[in-house]
Amino acid sequence: MSFDLLIEKIREKNNPTVMGLDPVLDYIPAQIKKRALAEYSDDFKAAGEAIFEFNKGLIDAAAEYIPAVKPQSAFYEMYGIDGLIALEKTIAYAKAAGLYVILDVKRNDIGSTAEAYARAYLGETELFGSSKAATPVDCVTVNPYLGIDGVKPFVDICNERDKGIFILVKTSNKSSGDFQDLTVGDKPLYRHVADKVNEWGSGSISNGYSCCGAVVGATYPSQLAELREALPNTFFLIPGYGAQGGTAKDIACAFDRHRLGAIVNSSRGLMCAYQKAGDDGRNFKACTRDAVIEMRDDINAEIGG
Amino acid sequence: MSFDLLIEKIREKNNPTVMGLDPVLDYIPAQIKKRALAEYSDDFKAAGEAIFEFNKGLIDAAAEYIPAVKPQSAFYEMYGIDGLIALEKTIAYAKAAGLYVILDVKRNDIGSTAEAYARAYLGETELFGSSKAATPVDCVTVNPYLGIDGVKPFVDICNERDKGIFILVKTSNKSSGDFQDLTVGDKPLYRHVADKVNEWGSGSISNGYSCCGAVVGATYPSQLAELREALPNTFFLIPGYGAQGGTAKDIACAFDRHRLGAIVNSSRGLMCAYQKAGDDGRNFKACTRDAVIEMRDDINAEIGG
């Protein structure tokens, strides 16, 4: 139920981190792009092929050490249908490698439309007398601005099918305070969202955590500590480590005494490890593997893993 | 600039309404589904084909009378890659029919990711030494929860390329008040979002309206009137007319004295007009055309059009 599968994989790898897969073409090693361009004359097709090849290499390099991957939908939608085909292939490849897949889509809408999104990614689509999964992942991110109508269809499918969602509470970006920090009564808006996340997930607690997780940025460590206290049964997805400035010290407070309760994302830091190492891209897999291990050890050193 | 193209088309058709294209299979006439199933053994492919055939018929029926269509991304994503191919074909078909295309995606993310979304739908994607439009539409919907970081990439591309966005302010659903109505200082959160929409669009006013429009539900008429007053330079996208309960009287206040400033959406009311008329689907085009004209006349009667 809920995040049991993620928790199992975190324990198995002794690693509470997730590799973001945000495939900007600039991140992809030259030799992969060259091969894709030789094979496809259509630029979008070549981009889709290069993205999938790169993702395969990243997954091959990391799968032994990491419990999960988090593809960011924007960076696939940006390449049209060919990008979305690369996303589907990446999801299937990651699942086959035993990884938990969090699809970062931040979807949100009125009830009937939210249900269509929930079915698309966590459930099944009704077709002609049967139903099939369109783009099956383990977990998606959800934006709460429309209230419970937009979240309940996801929660219902989570409960039916042992899936999870991470709801945006306090995001990692600089302007997250524009609305999230506005004071409502005696506390900021993000705390009201947190209270609702707590309420919405209350019927689905397993292994100490409900199916409604929360996105809380590593870039706001005091809010992270405050939210950990307020939400003892909420699993956190923590972006903002590494390239965005968050450190292992900043996020240590998000974990419980079993070193669970949070998963920390790094995208560029792992995908572009070869660039940082001064490699020309021929050894990107080894560089990513080293960076995955380094991140794991960095965080485990702080949380006693 | 901004919404000039939409305004031109609204004037040309003397019709401030938009047809939502939310293709649930249950909405599609039996004979279209039967043909698609005869042609494709794969259920998702048959669904994609049926959706596109239905949308083509709806566009053919309505294009003479209506300025715009609004496909809802969820109902295409629900059918996987085949659904997304149907979406791309629908967008191209609508553009070729001279319609303004608002893609309802409610995207939102941190700056670099929001830029990827903005490029995907309103701008161009950098490929191998060139750039190309991935899924080009005139306008998208945007969720404001992440603040200016998540909106500015859209605004920048709007200004460069004469596009528009509609930002969620007060949505039409029942639970929209869960967060949007919370009191911050002396006014509800949605008014703070409205102030920011006003500020973010202030540099792009043309024909009286900025590139930052607002989504305000027909189901909350007093808030609609309040927001019209507060946001004289903001174009409104108004969902909730018809099937959701909003009437022409409820939304008349959203228009300026030139009968501009708002566009009213109906999805099910137009797509399923044949069902309401007791038709078996063979005459769905005529039924939709009649419903489009009826909606136009209903709203124009209230606003003096």
Side-chain angles (χ1 to χ4, degrees):
Chain A
M1 263 186 74
S2 291
F3 284 110
D4 288 358
L5 182 62
L6 177 60
I7 289 169
E8 182 190 314
K9 288 180 188 292
I10 288 173
R11 282 193 174 128
E12 179 193 320
K13 311 279 172 79
N14 186 31
N15 185 359
T17 73
V18 49
M19 177 165 66
L21 294 174
D22 308 357
V24 182
L25 285 187
D26 285 348
Y27 293 0
I28 302 180
Q31 82 279 5
I32 291 180
K33 289 190 277 200
K34 209 173 147 185
R35 272 205 307 273
L37 276 168
E39 200 172 341
Y40 296 99
S41 58
D42 180 277
D43 277 358
F44 278 121
K45 276 207 186 343
E49 174 67 14
I51 289 167
F52 179 54
E53 278 304 308
F54 184 40
N55 284 349
K56 271 205 298 191
L58 294 168
I59 290 166
D60 289 345
E64 195 181 336
Y65 307 98
I66 210 160
V69 290
K70 182 179 76 66
Q72 164 53 257
S73 192
F75 293 106
Y76 300 85
E77 294 179 38
M78 188 167 67
Y79 301 102
I81 296 293
D82 296 299
L84 292 159
I85 290 171
L87 174 61
E88 289 220 335
K89 287 158 69 178
T90 297
I91 290 167
Y93 195 82
K95 290 299 292 176
L99 295 170
Y100 188 87
V101 178
I102 302 164
L103 184 58
D104 198 352
V105 286
K106 297 184 176 65
R107 295 298 191 259
N108 63 103
D109 218 294
I110 65 168
S112 53
T113 309
E115 188 188 327
Y117 280 131
R119 286 179 177 275
Y121 298 108
L122 303 181
E124 292 190 337
T125 300
E126 279 176 43
L127 290 156
F128 306 96
S130 68
S131 63
K132 282 183 190 161
T135 306
V137 295
D138 299 300
C139 179
V140 291
T141 53
V142 172
N143 180 308
Y145 190 66
L146 285 90
I148 182 63
D149 296 344
V151 176
K152 191 166 184 302
F154 289 97
V155 173
D156 288 346
I157 291 186
C158 283
N159 286 329
E160 275 165 34
R161 304 171 61 92
D162 299 342
K163 306 279 182 170
I165 55 173
F166 288 109
I167 299 169
L168 304 187
V169 173
K170 174 66 185 166
T171 57
S172 63
N173 60 307
K174 221 171 143 182
S175 75
S176 72
D178 276 359
F179 303 119
Q180 296 164 27
D181 291 356
L182 292 177
T183 303
V184 180
D186 58 352
K187 55 191 183 187
L189 176 63
Y190 69 80
R191 282 295 303 275
H192 291 267
V193 176
D195 290 346
K196 288 287 185 188
V197 168
N198 200 34
E199 180 190 322
W200 297 336
S202 60
S204 66
I205 296 171
S206 177
N207 252 314
Y209 292 98
S210 86
C211 70
C212 290
V215 174
V216 187
T219 45
Y220 296 101
S222 70
Q223 286 87 340
L224 183 60
E226 174 201 342
L227 287 164
R228 175 73 298 160
E229 185 109 352
L231 300 174
N233 301 120
T234 303
F235 216 94
F236 288 176
L237 169 63
I238 305 183
Y241 171 91
Q244 284 184 59
T247 68
K249 266 200 176 36
D250 292 333
I251 49 96
C253 62
F255 292 87
D256 67 20
R257 64 201 166 84
H258 306 294
R259 305 191 307 274
L260 290 172
I263 187 156
V264 183
N265 181 73
S266 176
S267 303
R268 217 179 333 152
L270 304 183
M271 299 177 73
C272 301
Y274 74 95
Q275 292 176 349
K276 203 176 156 197
D279 181 74
D280 68 357
R282 274 171 237 264
N283 302 299
F284 80 96
K285 289 189 206 183
C287 296
T288 289
R289 192 191 57 224
D290 293 349
V292 165
I293 292 169
E294 193 187 331
M295 182 183 177
R296 175 196 71 188
D297 294 346
D298 180 41
I299 290 170
N300 278 342
E302 283 295 330
I303 67 173
Chain B
M1 264 186 72
S2 293
F3 284 109
D4 288 359
L5 182 62
L6 177 60
I7 289 169
E8 184 190 312
K9 288 179 189 293
I10 289 173
R11 281 193 174 127
E12 181 193 319
K13 312 278 171 77
N14 186 33
N15 185 359
T17 73
V18 49
M19 177 166 67
L21 295 174
D22 307 358
V24 183
L25 285 187
D26 284 346
Y27 294 179
I28 302 181
Q31 82 278 6
I32 292 180
K33 288 189 277 201
K34 207 173 149 188
R35 271 205 308 272
L37 276 168
E39 200 172 341
Y40 296 99
S41 59
D42 180 278
D43 277 359
F44 278 121
K45 276 207 186 343
E49 175 66 14
I51 289 167
F52 180 53
E53 277 307 306
F54 184 41
N55 284 349
K56 271 204 300 191
L58 294 168
I59 291 167
D60 289 345
E64 194 180 337
Y65 308 97
I66 210 158
V69 290
K70 181 178 78 64
Q72 164 53 257
S73 193
F75 293 105
Y76 301 85
E77 294 179 39
M78 189 168 64
Y79 301 101
I81 296 294
D82 296 299
L84 292 158
I85 291 171
L87 174 61
E88 288 220 335
K89 286 158 71 178
T90 298
I91 290 168
Y93 195 83
K95 291 298 292 175
L99 295 171
Y100 187 87
V101 178
I102 302 165
L103 183 58
D104 198 352
V105 286
K106 298 185 175 63
R107 295 298 191 258
N108 63 103
D109 218 295
I110 65 168
S112 53
T113 308
E115 189 188 327
Y117 280 129
R119 286 178 177 276
Y121 298 107
L122 303 180
E124 292 190 337
T125 299
E126 279 177 44
L127 289 156
F128 305 96
S130 70
S131 63
K132 281 184 191 159
T135 306
V137 295
D138 298 300
C139 180
V140 291
T141 52
V142 173
N143 179 309
Y145 190 66
L146 286 90
I148 182 63
D149 296 344
V151 176
K152 193 168 184 299
F154 289 97
V155 174
D156 288 346
I157 291 186
C158 282
N159 286 330
E160 276 165 33
R161 302 171 63 92
D162 299 343
K163 305 279 183 171
I165 55 173
F166 288 108
I167 299 169
L168 304 188
V169 173
K170 175 67 185 165
T171 56
S172 63
N173 60 309
K174 221 172 144 183
S175 75
S176 72
D178 276 359
F179 304 120
Q180 296 164 27
D181 291 356
L182 292 178
T183 303
V184 181
D186 58 351
K187 54 191 182 188
L189 175 63
Y190 70 78
R191 283 295 304 275
H192 291 267
V193 176
D195 290 347
K196 287 288 184 187
V197 168
N198 199 34
E199 179 191 323
W200 297 335
S202 60
S204 65
I205 296 172
S206 177
N207 253 315
Y209 292 98
S210 86
C211 70
C212 290
V215 174
V216 187
T219 45
Y220 296 101
S222 70
Q223 287 86 339
L224 183 60
E226 174 201 343
L227 286 163
R228 174 74 297 159
E229 185 109 349
L231 300 175
N233 301 121
T234 303
F235 216 95
F236 288 175
L237 170 63
I238 305 183
Y241 171 91
Q244 284 184 59
T247 68
K249 266 200 176 37
D250 292 333
I251 50 96
C253 63
F255 292 87
D256 67 21
R257 64 201 165 84
H258 306 294
R259 306 192 307 274
L260 290 172
I263 188 157
V264 183
N265 181 73
S266 176
S267 304
R268 218 179 333 151
L270 304 183
M271 299 176 73
C272 301
Y274 73 95
Q275 291 176 349
K276 204 177 155 195
D279 181 74
D280 68 357
R282 274 171 237 265
N283 301 299
F284 79 96
K285 290 189 205 182
C287 296
T288 289
R289 191 192 57 226
D290 292 349
V292 164
I293 291 169
E294 194 187 330
M295 181 183 178
R296 175 196 71 188
D297 294 347
D298 180 42
I299 290 170
N300 278 342
E302 282 296 329
I303 67 173

